[in-house]
C-alpha cells in the first residue's frame, strides 16, 4: 500500500488503489443526481428535501463571488460543521487550488468530498493539491481532456466540467463537455504508437491516455458544472454525457438580486415565504429533470413547475480576465 | 431462460448493477417510472441516496406500486436499497417499503472518510468475499425469518428473507459476481415471500 503522508498528514489509504476505489465509489453513488451549492443550514435542508444527492457548503455562491470580488476562500468551519450536522446526505466543500492546508482542514471536519475549485481564488499558480495524499476524495474542474487527466493523475476521484460558474449561462459547460467527449472519442481510433504523441499533445500521462483510448471514458466519473440554471440545462448536460450535475447559483440566487438581497442571501435567508417556495420549486424541478433527462414530457413538466430563474450573465459579456475557468493549470 | 431484472434508476450506481446483472446472466432493465415495473421477474434497488429515492417514490403513486412489487417479486437492495427495503429506518427515521424484517441505521459507520473495503467469509460458496462499504448503513436488528449470510463485527451485512436479498455493502463495485449470481438464482427459482409466522 502506497503511503502518502506529506500533505494529507493522515491519508494513509489515500494513494492506494483500494483508496481510489472507495473514492470513486462515493462518486458512483452520486451519479444521476444533483449536487447543490448551499450557504446555510436552511438551504441545505431545502436541498435535501428537494432530493439533492449532496450539498456543497460555501460562504457565497459563485454569482456573489463574481459580483463582490475580493479573495474567495474555504468556508468557515463552523458553517461546514452546522451543515454536516443538519443533513444526512454527503457534504462537500471547496478548497482553493493548491491550498492543501485548507484541504487538510476540510478532511479533518469530515467533509465527504473536497472540490479543489477555480471558483475560489487560487493559492498556488503552479501546483494543484497532491490528492493522493488524502483519504477524502476530490473533485476537480476541467475544460478539456488533458486538464481532466492531469487532475486524475494528481488523484482526483471525480471530474466536472468547469463551465463558467456564477453566470447561469450553460454555454461553457456545454463547450467543455463536448470538448472532453470529442477528445476521448478521437483517442479510441488511434494506433498504439500514436498514443505517445497524443499524450504529449494533451500534456497528460501516457498510461491514462491509453486507458481512455481503450474505454472511451474517463477513468473516474465525469460530472458537469458551471452555469446550469434550469431543468432543461440539466437535461442537456446529461444528454451530452454528464453523469450528474452541480447546480451552484441557479437555485438560491433570485431573479433580480439587489444589493440588499445579496446580503440576505449571503446569510442564507429568504426575504419572504414566496421566495423560499420559489427556491424549493427550482431545486425539486432540476432534480427531477436530471433523472428523467431523456423524457422531454417530464422535463417540460419540470420547467413548468420551476418558479422564477436566475437572471444570469451571458458568458460572452465577461472579460477574459474575469473568467473563473482559466484558473487551474 | 434469461430473467428480466429491473434496476431502479432514479439515481445512484444503477449502471454498475446493470453490468453486474448482465455478467451474472440476466437481462437488465432500467426503471425510472412505476409502469416500467410490469413484466419484470425481479428488481435491484441500487446504492445512492435513499432520501433522493424517496422524493421520487412519493410522486405519482410510485411508492405504492413498488411496495406491491417487492412484496411478491424477488428484490435485492444494496446500501440505500437495503435502507429502502427495511421495516424500520433510524438516524433519521424515514419512510420505507417496510418488507424486510429488519431495523437499519443510516450512515452507521461514519462519513466517507470511514468508508472501507473488507474481506470476509459468507454463506456463499467460494471463499472470502470482498465487501465495499461506502457511507454504509448497519442492520441493527433482524426478524426470526431473516437469514444472515455474512456479518461484520457481529452485525449482519448480507441477509436473505424468502424472496428478498439485502446487503449494506456494494457487491456491484467488486469484480466478484457471486452475490449477483445468487440473486439471479433466486429469481430463476421463483422464490416466494417468507411466512413470518412459520
Amino acid at each position: 500500500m502506497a503511503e502518502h503522508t506529506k500533505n494529507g498528514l493522515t491519508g494513509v489509504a489515500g494513494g492506494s488503489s483500494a483508496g481510489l476505489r472507495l473514492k470513486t465509489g462515493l462518486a458512483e453513488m452520486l451519479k444521476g443526481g444533483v449536487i447543490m451549492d448551499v450557504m446555510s443550514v436552511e438551504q441545505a435542508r431545502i436541498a435535501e428535501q428537494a432530493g439533492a444527492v449532496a450539498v456543497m457548503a460555501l460562504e457565497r455562491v459563485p454569482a456573489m463571488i463574481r459580483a463582490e470580488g475580493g479573495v474567495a476562500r474555504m468556508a468557515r468551519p463552523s458553517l461546514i460543521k452546522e451543515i454536516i450536522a443538519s443533513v444526512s446526505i454527503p457534504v462537500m466543500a471547496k478548497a482553493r487550488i493548491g491550498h492543501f492546508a485548507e484541504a487538510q482542514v476540510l478532511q479533518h471536519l469530515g467533509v465527504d468530498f473536497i472540490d479543489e475549485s477555480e471558483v475560489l481564488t487560487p493559492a498556488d499558480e503552479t501546483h494543484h493539491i497532491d490528492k493522493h495524499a488524502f483519504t477524502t476524495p476530490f473533485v476537480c474542474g476541467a475544460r478539456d481532456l488533458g486538464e481532466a487527466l492531469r487532475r486524475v493523475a494528481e488523484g482526483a476521484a471525480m471530474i466536472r466540467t468547469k463551465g463558467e460558474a456564477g453566470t447561469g449561462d450553460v454555454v461553457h459547460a456545454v463547450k467543455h463537455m463536448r470538448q472532453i467527449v470529442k477528445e476521448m472519442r478521437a483517442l479510441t481510433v488511434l494506433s498504439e504508437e500514436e498514443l505517445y504523441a497524443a499524450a504529449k499533445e494533451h500534456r497528460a500521462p501516457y498510461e491514462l491516455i491509453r486507458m481512455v483510448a481503450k474505454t472511451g471514458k474517463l477513468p473516474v466519473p465525469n460530472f458537469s458544472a458551471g452555469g446550469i440554471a434550469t431543468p432543461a440545462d440539466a437535461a442537456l448536460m446529461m444528454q451530452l454525457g454528464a453523469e450528474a450535475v452541480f447546480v451552484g447559483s441557479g437555485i438560491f440566487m433570485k431573479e433580480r438580486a439587489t444589493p440588499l438581497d445579496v446580503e440576505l442571501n449571503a446569510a442564507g435567508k429568504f426575504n419572504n415565504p414566496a421566495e423560499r417556495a420559489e427556491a424549493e420549486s427550482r431545486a425539486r424541478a432540476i432534480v427531477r429533470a436530471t433523472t428523467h433527462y431523456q423524457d422531454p414530457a417530464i422535463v417540460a413538466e419540470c420547467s413548468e413547475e420551476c418558479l422564477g430563474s436566475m437572471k444570469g450573465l451571458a458568458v460572452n459579456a465577461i472579460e477574459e480576465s474575469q473568467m473563473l475557468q482559466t484558473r487551474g493549470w | 431462460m434469461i430473467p428480466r431484472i429491473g434496476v431502479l434508476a432514479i439515481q445512484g450506481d444503477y449502471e454498475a448493477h446493470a453490468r453486474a446483472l448482465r455478467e451474472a446472466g440476466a437481462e437488465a432493465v432500467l426503471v425510472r417510472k412505476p409502469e416500467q415495473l410490469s413484466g419484470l421477474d425481479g428488481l435491484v434497488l441500487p446504492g445512492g441516496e435513499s432520501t433522493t429515492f424517496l422524493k421520487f417514490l412519493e410522486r405519482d403513486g410510485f411508492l405504492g406500486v413498488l411496495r406491491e412489487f417487492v412484496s411478491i417479486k424477488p428484490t435485492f437492495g444494496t446500501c440505500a436499497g437495503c435502507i429502502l427495503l427495511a421495516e424500520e429506518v433510524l438516524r433519521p427515521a424515514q419512510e420505507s417499503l417496510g418488507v424486510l424484517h429488519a431495523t437499519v441505521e443510516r450512515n452507521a459507520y461514519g462519513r466517507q472518510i470511514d468508508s472501507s473495503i473488507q474481506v470476509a467469509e459468507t454463506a456463499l460458496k467460494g471463499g472470502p468475499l470482498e465487501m465495499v462499504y461506502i457511507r454504509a448503513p448497519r442492520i441493527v436488528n433482524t426478524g426470526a425469518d431473516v437469514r444472515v449470510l455474512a456479518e461484520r463485527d457481529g452485525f449482519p451485512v448480507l441477509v436473505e428473507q424468502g424472496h428478498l436479498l439485502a446487503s449494506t455493502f456494494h457487491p456491484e463495485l467488486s469484480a466478484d459476481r457471486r452475490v449477483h449470481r445468487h440473486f439471479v438464482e433466486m429469481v430463476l427459482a421463483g422464490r416466494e415471500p417468507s411466512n413470518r409466522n412459520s
Side-chain angles (χ1 to χ4, degrees):
Chain A
M1 189 177 283
E3 211 164 309
H4 286 261
T5 50
K6 202 180 69 200
N7 291 343
L9 301 179
T10 55
V12 180
S16 69
S17 67
L20 186 61
R21 284 179 61 209
L22 283 173
K23 290 171 176 179
T24 54
L26 179 57
E28 288 286 331
M29 300 309 144
L30 302 174
K31 280 186 178 176
V34 180
I35 299 142
M36 298 182 192
D37 280 358
V38 298
M39 297 174 283
S40 67
V41 166
E42 190 181 12
Q43 291 182 349
R45 291 209 175 109
I46 289 174
E48 183 178 45
Q49 277 306 306
V53 290
V55 291
M56 176 80 70
L58 71 183
E59 299 274 345
R60 297 178 294 172
V61 295
M64 290 178 188
I65 293 174
R66 188 178 284 288
E68 294 169 23
V71 175
R73 311 181 179 96
M74 167 186 84
R76 61 186 193 280
S78 59
L79 174 68
I80 294 170
K81 279 156 89 175
E82 280 166 31
I83 289 175
I84 284 177
S86 67
V87 293
S88 65
I89 55 178
V91 176
M92 303 186 176
K94 290 180 192 293
R96 283 179 263 176
I97 289 174
H99 206 316
F100 55 84
E102 280 189 350
Q104 287 163 358
V105 170
L106 295 177
Q107 172 164 284
H108 173 78
L109 293 173
V111 159
D112 296 292
F113 238 105
I114 299 171
D115 184 0
E116 187 182 17
S117 178
E118 70 281 1
V119 167
L120 304 185
T121 311
D124 191 317
E125 294 182 336
T126 313
H127 309 97
H128 279 251
I129 297 171
D130 171 14
K131 293 164 275 285
H132 290 293
F134 290 78
T135 308
T136 304
F138 278 74
V139 51
C140 288
R143 291 180 300 166
D144 54 40
L145 182 61
E147 193 174 11
L149 294 182
R150 287 194 292 280
R151 297 295 87 80
V152 173
E154 293 156 1
M158 182 202 292
I159 293 297
R160 54 169 175 76
T161 56
K162 283 181 169 174
E164 188 56 33
T167 58
D169 186 349
V170 80
V171 66
H172 280 198
V174 168
K175 182 178 167 185
H176 300 157
M177 186 57 76
R178 280 200 185 275
Q179 182 70 20
I180 292 172
V181 170
K182 183 178 83 183
E183 289 174 339
M184 290 196 293
R185 202 163 38 222
L187 285 185
T188 61
V189 297
L190 295 187
S191 64
E192 283 284 325
E193 66 267 23
E194 286 172 318
L195 291 178
Y196 293 99
K200 195 174 132 196
E201 271 164 39
H202 288 294
R203 296 190 294 131
Y206 165 74
E207 288 304 328
L208 292 177
I209 288 283
R210 194 154 176 267
M211 219 184 271
V212 173
K214 263 194 179 155
T215 60
K217 289 181 61 145
L218 287 181
V220 301
N222 187 15
F223 290 15
S224 181
I228 298 161
T230 69
D233 286 349
L236 174 69
M237 295 317 302
M238 292 294 286
Q239 289 186 51
L240 286 174
E243 294 176 299
V245 297
F246 286 82
V247 182
S249 319
I251 291 170
F252 297 112
M253 276 298 279
K254 58 176 295 198
E255 195 162 356
R256 275 170 287 276
T258 63
L260 176 66
D261 290 333
V262 168
E263 219 165 273
L264 288 167
N265 254 323
K269 300 214 182 316
F270 298 96
N271 290 318
N272 52 58
E275 196 177 286
R276 185 193 161 103
E278 279 189 15
E280 286 169 341
S281 79
R282 286 198 287 271
R284 274 197 308 269
I286 294 178
V287 165
R288 192 154 171 254
T290 303
T291 289
H292 295 290
Y293 68 96
Q294 292 161 310
D295 192 331
I298 295 184
V299 177
E301 241 177 66
C302 298
S303 308
E304 202 173 328
E305 287 167 10
C306 192
L307 305 173
S309 63
M310 188 185 166
K311 183 182 177 193
L313 172 66
V315 173
N316 62 15
I318 305 172
E319 285 194 35
E320 182 80 30
S321 64
Q322 299 302 309
M323 293 257 188
L324 301 176
Q325 59 181 268
T326 52
R327 298 164 166 184
W329 5 94
Chain B
M1 169 203 154
I2 296 177
R4 293 188 80 220
I5 300 178
V7 184
L8 189 69
I10 289 169
Q11 175 277 316
D13 70 339
Y14 53 83
E15 288 288 358
H17 268 293
R19 244 187 336 266
L21 284 171
R22 281 181 218 116
E23 286 169 15
E27 181 192 343
V29 181
L30 298 184
V31 175
R32 292 192 170 95
K33 297 189 225 175
E35 59 270 25
Q36 291 167 333
L37 285 169
S38 69
L40 297 177
D41 302 311
L43 182 70
V44 169
L45 306 175
E49 285 305 317
S50 58
T51 51
T52 305
F53 294 178
L54 284 170
K55 285 300 138 198
F56 281 81
L57 297 178
E58 282 162 7
R59 253 188 113 112
D60 310 321
F62 204 163
L63 194 64
V65 178
L66 186 61
R67 192 174 275 140
E68 219 168 279
F69 185 96
V70 304
S71 302
I72 46 169
K73 291 286 182 86
T75 302
F76 174 26
T78 62
C79 197
C82 171
I83 294 169
L84 217 54
L85 286 176
E87 205 160 43
E88 189 185 12
V89 181
L90 305 175
R91 261 186 34 138
Q94 65 187 38
E95 173 83 86
S96 63
L97 295 165
V99 287
L100 179 69
H101 304 140
T103 303
V104 178
E105 189 184 330
R106 292 185 59 200
N107 298 328
Y109 295 95
R111 307 194 65 79
Q112 171 61 13
I113 201 159
D114 307 300
S115 292
S116 66
I117 298 179
Q118 316 264 330
V119 177
E121 287 293 341
T122 72
L124 303 175
K125 288 197 188 85
L129 182 78
E130 180 189 82
M131 301 172 180
V132 180
Y133 294 91
I134 310 274
R135 284 172 49 98
R138 183 187 277 146
I139 300 173
V140 291
N141 206 353
T142 52
D145 56 347
V146 176
R147 191 177 153 225
V148 177
L149 303 181
E151 288 183 341
R152 173 180 174 185
D153 307 327
F155 292 97
V157 293
L158 179 62
V159 298
E160 198 178 273
Q161 174 200 307
H163 68 303
L164 301 173
L165 181 68
S167 69
T168 59
F169 59 95
H170 294 280
E172 72 280 11
L173 295 185
S174 295
D176 195 324
R177 285 290 155 260
R178 277 180 288 163
V179 180
H180 283 83
R181 277 208 300 273
H182 179 71
F183 179 61
V184 171
E185 279 162 23
M186 285 171 66
V187 174
L188 286 170
R191 282 274 192 102
E192 306 253 329
S194 71
N195 184 341
R196 193 172 207 178
N197 304 317
S198 68

